[in-house]
Amino acid sequence: MISANLSAIFYLISGVLFILALRGLSSPETSRQGNLFGISGMIIAVTVTFLLIGNFSTGFIFVLIFILIGGLIGAFIAYRIPMTAMPELVAGFHSLVGLAAVFVAISAFLNPEAFNLGTKGNIKLGSLIEMSIGAAVGAITFSGSIIAFLKLQGIMSGSPIVFKGQHPLNAIILISIVVLIYLLCASQSSNLFWILLAVSFLIGFLLIIPIGGADMPVVISMLNSYSGWAAAGIGFTLENTALIITGALVGSSGAILSYIMCKGMNRSFFNVILGGFGATDISSSSANKEQRPVKSGNADDAAFLMKNASSVIIVPGYGMAVAQAQHALREMVDTLKKNDIKVSYAIHPVAGRMPGHMNVLLAEANVPYDEVFELEEINNDFANADVAFVIGANDVTNPVAKTDPQSPIYGMPVLDVEKCKSVLFVKRSLSPGYAGIDNDLFYKENTLMLFADAKKMTEDITKNL
């Protein structure tokens, strides 16, 4: 048993640790420390919550058993998951947070006495509002995250799924959710509660299906924010300070990250929230790719160009992650440096499948942080560089984002790779990127395609160097 005052102090400490965790995770250099802060804060919060219960009954033992089972499953999945599948894992975990919020809301609605919320049919108005909002946001998070997972995993097409009248339908459903919450608070009808959940699950699907693959990193960030607000809403229902603080931190930080990414990709933040972006038709620029001339080379050609260069810019992408080529890339760069060649890395904000994906992989290979630059820091340097080495990146280097208004990535800032004197593009084939469109960079006069596995090609270049 623990007093209310003491529990409030420990919850405050856990909240501070969560803030320090977010601060630490803002940079690869401090990310390990940030994770430790987050783990410590969660251990304190969970321990205090159990001590507040005070009644170590059979039900308490069952809760511990389920936590142990869930923890072991989560640890096993996290241990086995490759870095390339991390976005899918994040989407999957977001769905579970949303579903947990829904289950807590159902429990509180069906048995309010257990949560000190009043009696069935006579729940406190404030608690019912909090519960309804938390349940609705949780349901939207769950179904939306499931669609994001299916698209990222390739089970469902990454192309936008659109139909006539889609946006008016979404608007009507969102308005109906507000009306249902009002009617539920007025009548406390169980039928209205279940209808609210069903409609919320539906709008989650409808908000995510029209979003194309190129914008999926923003969706992951947005769903992260939704899961936080769902947790915060349920925290108010349970009167749990730690849950409110944690949910608010996750919700606000996810919203800020979504806004920053939307700004970086030239997208409307409100369109993201309403699921109204990424749904343009695929550009016709990819229609005749087989008839366009392409220059291809081998590792020896690439080594010759790089060895005679004074500066090389590396552009990593999802293909590097799939091939696990980051360590081979580091070896190649070390060899270039021995020849007094200046090397730097250019990271697009949405390279890979989620923000920070490339930074984590490069940090894993012990790439010095002062050699890694974001798009706005290095984009002007491409015009003065001798060689750009693109290893698995695609949509983030596509010039059509600047030239083709019909392209689904039009307006998205891209790396100005085509301005380099020579571009070495490592890719298995001429297949389009995740956005589903052809890359005009393949056919530029200064581009040499290196068709091979990213890791093997990089190792072969190193040998030739």
Side-chain angles (χ1 to χ4, degrees), residues 267-282:
R267 304 299 193 198
S268 166
F269 181 66
F270 292 104
N271 280 350
V272 174
I273 295 173
L274 299 174
F277 72 119
T280 54
D281 293 329
I282 291 178

Side-chain angles (χ1 to χ4, degrees), residues 60 72 192 212 223 374 398 403 405:
F60 182 85
L72 288 173
L192 288 176
L223 291 170
E374 300 295 329
N398 198 337
T403 59

